[in-house]
Amino acid sequence: MNVVFDTNVVASASFWRGAPFDCLATWAKGHCQAVVSPALLTEYHEITEELRAEYPDRPFVPWAEALAQSATLVFPTERATGATTDPDDEMVLECALAGSADFLVSGDKRHLLPLREFRGIPIVNPADFLRRLASGM
């Protein structure tokens, strides 16, 4: 099963426990295959570095580096222009398309989660993804 993790999921999992961390731990255990694009990897790194500067004493798990090394890298060719009110989220949708994602996991309640799906790809929050994974979908 191919899964795209939105940047907010990776950033949250890097500094805090909870459903986002559990999603990435599930990937690390081989229960799904993470899909990334160069643009998404860049954003993962930028945001986690900003958070490291903001929370220097907080324990840090280098999920962005692990994804860069082990996730499936895709190069999107289809565009998602205008698919969401936040143009910055288009790269996440494009990655999901290019990677034939079965799920896009996001915590973005303003732009991505309200879509519920994009071209047949369910967009779910981390807790919902974990529930679906545990139930076998």
Side-chain angles (χ1 to χ4, degrees), residues 54-75:
E54 189 173 339
Y55 300 101
D57 297 328
R58 186 135 193 105
F60 172 74
V61 178
W63 287 117
E65 288 81 3
L67 288 160
Q69 292 176 10
S70 300
T72 299
L73 182 64
V74 297
F75 297 88

Side-chain angles (χ1 to χ4, degrees), residues 4-113:
V4 172
F5 296 109
D6 193 2
T7 305
N8 55 56
V9 174
V10 175
S12 180
S14 296
F15 294 91
W16 296 276
R17 297 297 183 256
F21 181 89
D22 294 343
C23 286
L24 290 181
T26 297
W27 162 70
K29 292 175 186 173
H31 298 291
C32 63
Q33 179 57 49
V35 177
V36 297
S37 67
L40 195 53
L41 282 174
T42 297
E43 187 175 70
Y44 289 168
H45 287 290
E46 288 173 356
I47 299 302
T48 55
E49 286 306 310
E50 286 175 17
L51 288 170
R52 282 181 85 174
E54 189 173 339
Y55 300 101
D57 297 328
R58 186 135 193 105
F60 172 74
V61 178
W63 287 117
E65 288 81 3
L67 288 160
Q69 292 176 10
S70 300
T72 299
L73 182 64
V74 297
F75 297 88
T77 56
E78 286 186 71
R79 296 292 160 232
T81 306
T84 174
T85 56
D86 184 355
D88 291 338
D89 288 331
E90 291 171 0
M91 73 172 152
V92 182
L93 298 172
E94 293 164 359
C95 180
L97 283 175
S100 300
D102 297 293
F103 288 97
L104 191 165
V105 181
S106 177
D108 184 344
K109 294 177 184 174
R110 292 186 62 203
H111 305 111
L112 289 177
L113 288 171

